[in-house]
Amino acid sequence: DAEMVGTPDSELAATMGFSGFGKKARTFDLEAMFEQTRRTAVERSRKVLEAREKEREDQAENEFGVLPRDLSASASSATGAATGVGCTVNQRHESEDSSDEELTVPSMHSKSSAPGTAEDTDDDGEFIGPPLPPGFKNSDDDNDDDTEEEDNNPIKKIPDSHEITLQHGTKTVSALGLDPSGARLITGGYDCDVKFWDFAGMDASLQAFRSLQPCECHQIKSLQYSSTGDVILVVSGNSQAKVLDRDGFPVMECIKGDQYIVDMTNTKGHTAMLNSGCWHPKVKEEFLTCSNDGTVRTWDVNNEKKHKSVFKPRSVQGKRVVPTSCTYNRDGKLIAAGCQDGSIQIWDRNMSVHTKFHCRQAHAPGTDISCLTFSYDGTVLASRGGDDTLKIWDIRQFKQPLNSVEGLPSFFPMTDCCFSPDDKILVTGTSVKKGGGSGKLFFFCRETFQKLYEIEVTDA
């Protein structure tokens, strides 16, 4: 500052009040800082080792009345290999010395190593670094009784210890979407509202932080976050699916097809009400929708002018049938649709003309299959029918279900089913008429289809 007095800059600095106008920025020597940190860590671990060593020596003195160091020295001179107590001490010294070498501090203990122990200690020696926090157990030391018990009792894995009630509105809640990190929830209902809930930012009043009607006066059919959680697919009762960002702002809207064209392949989008939709599990820009116009279409978020491909389910007579639910398999190579005539039809994603697998009488005709979902291992498909059944299929032998259960009433065309993350349990919901008690969640063992558990949701 003194040197700069008299120059216009310094006068300006003085008048403007910029006192540090001519000062240099401080520079940090990162190398030195890292070195300092490393030394501190090594020092601390050495102290911990010394304390342990001392304890061990005291114990040995109490037991044998002789220091383990003498033991190990005599053993190594006699046989050329240390065994018993001497061996453990040996390895301790060796690891200590290796940590001290870096410090260029004189070794704290005399070396008494036998030939062939140096290599062992590099593998088994103590690690260099700050001491472990109190109460920390090594994963190897843990007894695995709890985990074994959980494996034997799958009900322990069902997360139903706590519950809260979020009030969406006064009408049926027909869609839920949880973001991949589990931090946010979106709900949609027959009142056409979509509400955004943020668990971390929520206070005791449990209010949604945003509410909007992205599709005007159309009921919400399905909501799903993409695999990265940055956009949301909204499927409603109109013919155009929408994609919103995390905060509810529109990203794209699918184009509406021309309803006067007979061949649905030649229209650029859906021409009738949508029934369902979902994201591709691997390609984050692609999603799938199905509609009352008798088609299943794939879309790219970056192109709203036209669908990517069209799949047309057909009846035995080759007539058009309406797909009521659709999904990808876990690796995204197959596309499955459940149809109004009770059939399940599956295509290869890259070949849209002929089905790869199909089952004609999977569920009762006209009862609307409300959900299809593939297991995580990709070998079986579960289907939830409007005929009050839940079935599980091996798509390679698609004639008969592997298992099925009846008597699961469902009054909504979006009743879901899904597999637990370990693939051992299958869950679905049931609904009741007004005043008929509670809707429930039922949990079934995937192998035996025996009912494991049920949860009453609410008196509605």
Side-chain angles (χ1 to χ4, degrees):
D1 281 295
E3 288 168 14
M4 296 185 69
V5 172
T7 61
D9 280 355
S10 64
E11 285 168 19
L12 176 70
T15 41
M16 299 294 282
F18 301 142
S19 53
F21 214 61
K23 284 187 184 172
K24 280 187 180 175
R26 269 185 73 189
T27 54
F28 293 96
D29 185 355
L30 288 175
E31 299 275 327
M33 288 162 76
F34 280 131
E35 181 59 27
Q36 181 63 38
T37 313
R38 192 183 66 76
R39 281 179 178 232
T40 315
V42 171
E43 188 65 30
R44 281 174 72 180
S45 66
R46 190 168 59 70
K47 281 181 182 164
V48 170
L49 273 171
E50 276 175 36
R52 281 189 197 160
E53 202 59 49
K54 202 161 183 329
E55 274 179 35
R56 196 169 279 106
E57 283 174 9
D58 293 347
Q59 279 177 3
E61 267 183 42
N62 295 343
E63 284 176 30
F64 302 108
V66 60
L67 275 177
R69 198 172 299 143
D70 307 337
L71 252 180
S72 63
S74 59
S76 58
S77 59
T79 61
T83 53
V85 184
C87 178
T88 57
V89 176
N90 245 332
Q91 294 182 352
R92 294 287 175 198
H93 289 341
E94 194 59 49
S95 65
E96 256 172 64
D97 295 334
S98 67
S99 70
D100 292 340
E101 274 164 20
E102 294 182 13
L103 261 174
T104 64
V105 173
S107 174
M108 301 304 289
H109 296 280
S110 60
K111 281 197 180 183
S112 57
S113 68
T117 51
E119 290 83 21
D120 302 349
T121 51
D122 284 350
D123 301 339
D124 311 338
E126 297 291 323
F127 62 88
I128 294 173
L132 293 173
F136 178 88
K137 273 199 208 151
N138 196 337
S139 55
D140 305 340
D141 313 340
D142 270 359
N143 47 354
D144 302 331
D145 300 346
D146 304 345
T147 49
E148 277 174 25
E149 194 181 300
E150 274 196 9
D151 287 344
N152 300 337
N153 184 3
I155 297 171
K156 286 259 166 64
K157 293 184 179 174
I158 297 170
D160 69 330
S161 58
H162 298 69
E163 69 175 74
I164 55 170
T165 303
L166 303 177
Q167 200 59 44
H168 171 88
T170 53
K171 294 189 178 169
T172 298
V173 179
S174 51
L176 292 175
L178 197 63
D179 96 320
S181 67
R184 282 190 175 185
L185 172 77
I186 37 173
T187 58
Y190 278 11
D191 54 5
C192 315
D193 282 348
V194 171
K195 293 200 169 169
F196 291 71
W197 315 78
D198 183 29
F199 294 123
M202 201 184 272
D203 61 8
S205 65
L206 306 180
Q207 293 298 308
F209 74 87
R210 178 159 292 126
S211 172
L212 44 110
Q213 293 195 344
C215 306
E216 285 83 40
C217 50
H218 294 282
Q219 293 175 351
I220 307 298
K221 298 285 188 81
S222 165
L223 295 167
Q224 193 190 2
Y225 279 91
S226 66
S227 56
T228 51
D230 50 356
V231 284
I232 301 159
L233 174 64
V234 181
V235 175
S236 69
N238 67 356
S239 59
Q240 295 163 275
K242 280 193 174 177
V243 177
L244 309 176
D245 70 6
R246 280 179 69 78
D247 297 315
F249 297 105
V251 174
M252 78 158 293
E253 181 177 33
C254 297
I255 195 167
K256 186 172 165 59
D258 185 339
Q259 59 225 46
Y260 298 108
I261 295 177
V262 176
D263 183 4
M264 282 294 118
T265 315
N266 295 328
T267 66
K268 293 177 179 173
H270 288 296
T271 61
M273 178 177 86
L274 298 175
N275 288 318
S276 176
C278 66
W279 289 102
H280 190 288
K282 298 275 196 286
V283 183
K284 67 179 181 116
E285 290 87 19
E286 185 182 310
F287 61 92
L288 182 68
T289 55
C290 66
S291 157
N292 278 357
D293 63 9
T295 63
V296 177
R297 296 174 198 250
T298 59
W299 301 83
D300 187 325
V301 171
N302 303 315
N303 178 17
E304 52 186 47
K305 297 280 179 255
K306 192 177 191 296
H307 57 247
K308 275 174 86 167
S309 52
V310 183
F311 303 85
K312 294 190 283 190
R314 291 280 180 250
S315 66
V316 188
Q317 297 82 22
K319 294 205 171 106
R320 185 175 85 177
V321 293
V322 171
T324 53
S325 63
C326 60
T327 188
Y328 289 97
N329 71 336
R330 296 285 172 183
D331 61 7
K333 291 181 179 163
L334 299 176
I335 285 174
C339 305
Q340 248 172 2
D341 63 348
S343 67
I344 297 174
Q345 308 192 20
I346 302 175
W347 299 267
D348 184 315
R349 171 173 165 254
N350 301 321
M351 317 233 276
S352 61
V353 181
H354 297 294
T355 55
K356 188 168 185 180
F357 308 100
H358 62 259
C359 176
R360 288 285 166 211
Q361 282 103 27
H363 289 275
T367 57
D368 289 15
I369 296 170
S370 63
C371 180
L372 296 176
T373 184
F374 282 87
S375 62
Y376 287 90
D377 58 20
T379 55
V380 300
L381 171 72
S383 62
R384 177 70 164 102
D387 53 0
D388 300 351
T389 61
L390 175 68
K391 299 185 181 183
I392 191 169
W393 311 83
D394 180 340
I395 57 175
R396 291 159 302 187
Q397 288 107 34
F398 221 163
K399 293 279 172 279
Q400 290 295 323
L402 296 171
N403 263 314
S404 76
V405 60
E406 295 172 351
L408 300 169
S410 161
F411 303 119
F412 295 93
M414 56 284 289
T415 302
D416 280 336
C417 59
C418 65
F419 287 91
S420 63
D422 64 1
D423 256 351
K424 291 181 179 163
I425 305 175
L426 193 56
V427 56
T428 188
T430 62
S431 34
V432 291
K433 293 284 187 204
K434 207 165 208 162
S438 292
K440 292 181 182 176
L441 291 177
F442 285 98
F443 296 81
F444 298 96
C445 171
R446 168 181 159 178
E447 295 304 320
T448 61
F449 252 50
Q450 166 195 354
K451 187 174 87 175
L452 296 172
Y453 196 58
E454 63 181 68
I455 297 175
E456 291 201 357
V457 181
T458 177
D459 184 24

